[in-house]
């Protein structure tokens, strides 16, 4: 990813006697190779996170406590504040949130303004640290702290260009939806002064269900149904990889080229949404994890976990609905080896 770094700064949060402290940087970072490599690594990690939320800044019609962050951001964009002053103000707001939520994690707040493909972005990320062991120049063992980029869970990216062009847009802010639960996401959204507008996971789930219902309505043969799922997955996955949204219209056109039908997926999905009282947005960012449901069956419960590709159903895998029985012909090699050893069967 080729990025043009415009402004960047790091502020430090540390623990001190059971309290969190803040050390503010007084100047921007120099745009050298090390900083560029850090930002490229961070943006790669951010982009590859499968679960993201999409938000916009709070308005007067929204519930929730307003934050100083959007106001300070607007002042910086209008050149009423310098980048350093804006970032310091943001760090103080984050400190207040950390103290309010009783979160004492040490780390660094990185705020970077960069341009990619003629679009301005502001990346706001809390970088955790990890202790490690290294060898110093005297060949002695020494402990050190390093940034743990792979474990970043608090990060958001503001599309500054979209925000300035259309402030009514509901997804010019994207953020990582961490595994630690809603509390982490809510905490970071409170800091940014924004609220989630679009649930990409729910939207993707609606699309998956609409694709299945469409195949049933059109009475597709098993081969056609499999081709439909594969086509939908391939298109959505490519859009996800490129950081682009899924267009139901474009998907519908691609499907119709390969699988002719009486009516389009686009028309069906709109009617299906009305029948099910769900709002399937005609264009939305896909959720990577939910997309896999288009090409895999998987589930777990009662001590059993099963997963297999859709193409295996009716081939190596058979399902009897009357008896709720799943028959698998030919087990995976590693599972077969475990079973043979358990029963004392020579390989």
């Amino acid at each position: 990813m080729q990025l043009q770094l415009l402004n960047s700064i790091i502020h430090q949060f540390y623990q001190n006697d059971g309290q969190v402290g803040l050390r503010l940087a007084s100047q921007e970072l120099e745009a050298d190779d090390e900083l560029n490599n850090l930002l490229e690594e961070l943006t790669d990690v951010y982009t590859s996170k499968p679960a993201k939320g999409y938000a916009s800044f709070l308005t007067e019609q929204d519930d929730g406590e307003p934050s100083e962050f959007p106001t300070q951001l607007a002042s910086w964009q209008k050149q009423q504040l310098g980048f350093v002053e804006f970032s310091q103000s943001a760090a103080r707001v984050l400190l207040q949130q950390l103290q309010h939520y009783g979160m004492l994690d040490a780390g660094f707040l990185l705020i970077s303004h960069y341009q990619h493909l003629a679009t301005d972005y502001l990346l706001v990320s809390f970088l955790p640290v990890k202790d490690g062991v290294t060898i110093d120049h005297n060949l002695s063992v020494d402990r050190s702290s390093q940034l743990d980029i792979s474990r970043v869970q608090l990060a958001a990216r503001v599309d500054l260009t979209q925000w300035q062009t259309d402030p009514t847009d509901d997804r010019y802010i994207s953020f990582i939806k961490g595994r630690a639960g809603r509390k982490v996401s809510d905490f970071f959204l409170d800091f940014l002064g924004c609220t989630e507008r679009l649930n990409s996971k729910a939207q993707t789930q609606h699309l998956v269900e609409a694709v299945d219902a469409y195949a049933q309505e059109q009475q597709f043969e098993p081969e056609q149904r499999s081709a439909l799922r594969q086509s939908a997955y391939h298109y959505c996955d490519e859009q996800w990889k490129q950081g682009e949204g899924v267009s139901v219209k474009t998907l519908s056109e691609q499907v119709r080229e390969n699988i002719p039908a009486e009516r389009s997926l686009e028309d069906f999905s709109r009617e299906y949404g009305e029948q099910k009282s769900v709002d399937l947005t005609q264009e939305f960012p896909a959720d990577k994890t939910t997309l896999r449901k288009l090409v895999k069956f998987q589930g777990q419960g009662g001590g059993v976990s099963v997963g297999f590709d859709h193409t295996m159903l009716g081939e190596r895998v058979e399902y009897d609905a009357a008896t709720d029985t799943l028959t698998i012909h030919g087990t995976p090699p590693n599972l077969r080896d475990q079973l043979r050893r358990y029963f004392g069967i020579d390989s």
Side-chain angles (χ1 to χ4, degrees), residues 211 223-237 251 255 259 294-296 309-311:
V211 167
E223 295 80 6
Q224 292 176 307
R225 182 172 299 186
S226 178
L228 170 64
R229 283 174 163 269
Q230 290 286 351
S231 179
Y233 177 80
H234 178 73
Y235 166 73
C236 295
D237 187 53
L251 171 60
V255 166
I259 312 171
L294 285 169
V295 291
K296 289 185 73 70
D309 292 343
H310 275 257
T311 55

Side-chain angles (χ1 to χ4, degrees), residues 11 13 22 56-58 64-73 86-101 103 108-111 122-127 154-158 173 175 183-195:
H11 303 294
F13 290 84
L22 171 62
S56 63
F57 292 127
L58 290 168
E65 292 293 328
S67 168
E68 295 180 20
F69 183 87
T71 303
Q72 300 296 326
L73 176 62
F86 155 65
S87 72
Q88 291 177 341
S89 174
R92 293 188 186 99
V93 174
L94 179 57
L95 177 64
Q96 293 173 0
Q97 290 295 327
L98 288 170
Q99 293 171 336
H100 174 73
Y101 280 85
M103 301 179 71
F108 297 89
L109 175 66
L110 170 65
I111 302 180
L122 185 75
L123 182 64
V124 182
S125 178
F126 188 82
L127 307 180
L154 294 175
R157 185 169 64 183
V158 183
I173 300 174
F175 64 95
K183 182 178 180 181
V184 174
S185 296
D186 288 344
F187 148 72
F188 209 60
L189 295 187
D190 288 347
F191 155 59
L192 295 172
C194 62
T195 185

Side-chain angles (χ1 to χ4, degrees), residues 207-273:
L207 178 63
V208 171
E209 294 171 355
V211 167
D212 279 342
Y214 176 66
Q216 292 178 5
E217 187 212 52
Q218 296 299 309
Q219 297 182 338
F220 286 155
E221 297 295 328
E223 295 80 6
Q224 292 176 307
R225 182 172 299 186
S226 178
L228 170 64
R229 283 174 163 269
Q230 290 286 351
S231 179
Y233 177 80
H234 178 73
Y235 166 73
C236 295
D237 187 53
E238 284 299 313
Q239 293 299 103
W240 182 87
K241 290 177 179 176
Q242 296 173 19
E244 301 290 339
V246 168
S247 166
V248 176
K249 180 179 180 180
T250 303
L251 171 60
S252 178
E253 292 171 350
Q254 291 191 7
V255 166
R256 204 160 196 174
E257 289 180 1
N258 300 321
I259 312 171
E262 293 182 3
R263 66 168 171 163
S264 68
L265 173 61
E266 180 185 11
D267 292 339
F268 173 83
S269 65
R270 188 177 293 108
E271 180 181 316
Y272 177 80

Side-chain angles (χ1 to χ4, degrees), residues 14-207:
Y14 59 90
Q15 294 184 32
N16 183 23
D17 294 332
Q19 299 292 324
V20 60
L22 171 62
R23 179 186 173 203
L24 293 172
S26 59
Q27 59 185 9
E28 296 181 33
L29 294 169
E30 182 180 350
D32 54 17
D33 290 341
E34 287 76 11
L35 180 58
N36 277 300
N37 290 337
L38 170 63
L39 184 59
E40 288 189 5
E41 181 182 357
L42 180 58
T43 52
D44 286 344
V45 169
Y46 181 84
T47 303
S48 65
K49 293 289 184 180
K52 293 190 185 69
Y54 296 85
S56 63
F57 292 127
L58 290 168
T59 66
E60 294 179 355
Q61 290 72 37
D62 294 315
D63 295 329
E65 292 293 328
S67 168
E68 295 180 20
F69 183 87
T71 303
Q72 300 296 326
L73 176 62
S75 296
W76 168 57
Q77 288 286 280
K78 295 175 183 176
Q79 298 184 345
Q80 296 171 349
L81 271 182
F83 180 78
V84 174
E85 289 76 18
F86 155 65
S87 72
Q88 291 177 341
S89 174
R92 293 188 186 99
V93 174
L94 179 57
L95 177 64
Q96 293 173 0
Q97 290 295 327
L98 288 170
Q99 293 171 336
H100 174 73
Y101 280 85
M103 301 179 71
L104 303 177
D105 289 345
F108 297 89
L109 175 66
L110 170 65
I111 302 180
S112 289
H113 173 213
Y114 66 91
Q115 190 174 82
H116 177 59
L117 299 178
T119 300
D120 277 352
Y121 293 100
L122 185 75
L123 182 64
V124 182
S125 178
F126 188 82
L127 307 180
V129 295
K130 63 179 179 179
D131 290 332
V133 178
T134 186
I135 305 298
D136 63 21
H137 65 281
N138 293 321
L139 301 182
S140 300
V141 177
D142 190 19
R143 296 197 65 84
S144 65
S145 295
Q146 296 179 335
L147 296 177
D148 196 357
I149 303 298
S150 63
R151 288 183 55 247
V152 169
Q153 291 295 327
L154 294 175
R157 185 169 64 183
V158 183
D159 185 332
L160 296 173
T161 301
Q162 183 65 21
W163 178 45
Q164 293 175 343
T165 304
D166 182 12
T168 63
D169 182 71
D170 59 3
R171 56 189 183 211
Y172 52 77
I173 300 174
S174 62
F175 64 95
I176 295 174
K177 301 190 76 168
R179 296 179 180 179
R182 284 291 303 169
K183 182 178 180 181
V184 174
S185 296
D186 288 344
F187 148 72
F188 209 60
L189 295 187
D190 288 347
F191 155 59
L192 295 172
C194 62
T195 185
E196 185 173 10
R197 307 285 186 185
L198 179 69
N199 189 322
S200 62
K201 184 174 183 179
Q203 289 294 316
T204 308
Q205 179 62 34
H206 293 333
L207 178 63

